[in-house]
Amino acid sequence: MPGFEVQLVCANGHLLNDWAQAQAAPNAKFCPECGEGTLSRCPECDTPLRGRFLPEGAEREPDGGKRIARAPRYCHECGSPFPWTAERLLAADELAAQLDDLSDEERRLLRAAFRDILTENPRTEVAALRIKRAAEHAGKGASRILFEVVENLASETAKRLILGP
Ligand SMILES: [Zn+2]
Ligand SMILES: [Zn+2]
C-alpha cells in the first residue's frame, strides 16, 4: 500500500534509516555516528517519525520512493521541536550570550533570528540578514563559530542567504 514509511534517527538528529519498516537492515539501537540512542517516534506525542513516501510497489524496489536527506526539525503531528532541534537552538543561544558588543535587545533579536532560520517562513530573509550582520560585527573567531551554528541549524534557503551559494 502506498504511504509514508517510518524514519529512524538518533537523539542528535543523525538519520539512520528513512524506511525503517520495509528495509530494516540499517536499524540500530545506537547511532554509529555518535553513540546516542535512536528513536522512531516523537517523544512528545508518540507519532511515528515520517519517513520517505513510497508509491505503489516501491517497497519492493531496492531504492524505491524518494530518499530523505536529513531528520525533520519539528514533529509533523504535534509541532514540537525534536530533541536535536532543541539542542542546536540551545547551543545557538549560548553562542549569542557569549558574543561581545551586543546589547540585550540585539541578543534577543539574534535568538529570535536563530528560530526563524530553522524553517522557511516569512521572517527567514530578515533573520538571515540579521545573522549576517551579527557575524560581520563579531570578529573572525566568533563569526566562524556563528557560521558553524548556522550550518547545523538553518534551512537550505537560509543557509544560502547567510553563507552564500
Ligand atoms: Zn548520532
Ligand atoms: Zn509529536
Side-chain angles (χ1 to χ4, degrees):
M1 235 180 48
F4 284 102
E5 253 285 347
V6 171
Q7 194 173 143
L8 186 76
V9 299
C10 86
N12 277 331
H14 295 124
L15 174 57
L16 276 82
N17 192 356
D18 73 339
W19 50 345
Q21 286 182 317
Q23 305 285 339
N27 294 354
K29 276 187 194 158
F30 296 97
C31 176
E33 208 60 41
C34 71
E36 282 288 340
T38 57
L39 62 152
S40 59
R41 288 172 174 276
C42 170
E44 292 298 320
C45 72
D46 211 38
T47 300
L49 304 188
R50 197 176 256 179
R52 70 170 75 181
F53 182 77
L54 292 179
E56 189 71 54
E59 73 277 8
R60 290 186 300 273
E61 294 168 24
D63 199 12
K66 192 173 179 288
R67 195 181 301 194
I68 290 178
R70 60 163 182 78
R73 296 186 160 96
Y74 295 92
C75 174
H76 70 274
E77 185 62 29
C78 73
S80 307
F82 286 121
W84 49 94
T85 308
E87 279 294 319
R88 283 171 197 168
L89 276 174
L90 203 66
D93 287 348
E94 279 170 15
L95 176 65
Q98 282 173 35
L99 290 179
D100 296 328
D101 305 328
L102 288 186
S103 69
D104 285 350
E105 175 65 3
E106 285 168 326
R107 245 179 266 283
R108 193 186 63 76
L109 289 171
L110 188 58
R111 280 202 297 269
F114 286 141
R115 279 145 187 84
D116 286 336
I117 60 164
L118 274 172
T119 58
E120 320 278 321
N121 66 71
R123 296 177 305 278
T124 304
E125 282 189 41
V126 177
L129 186 64
R130 178 157 286 139
I131 290 171
K132 249 180 132 163
R133 288 224 182 106
E136 281 163 16
H137 289 216
K140 253 211 168 97
S143 68
R144 193 179 48 79
I145 300 171
L146 187 57
F147 287 144
E148 279 174 22
V149 165
V150 166
E151 187 74 47
N152 278 322
L153 202 64
S155 70
E156 291 309 316
T157 305
K159 239 185 251 184
R160 265 197 307 280
L161 287 168
I162 300 168
L163 306 174

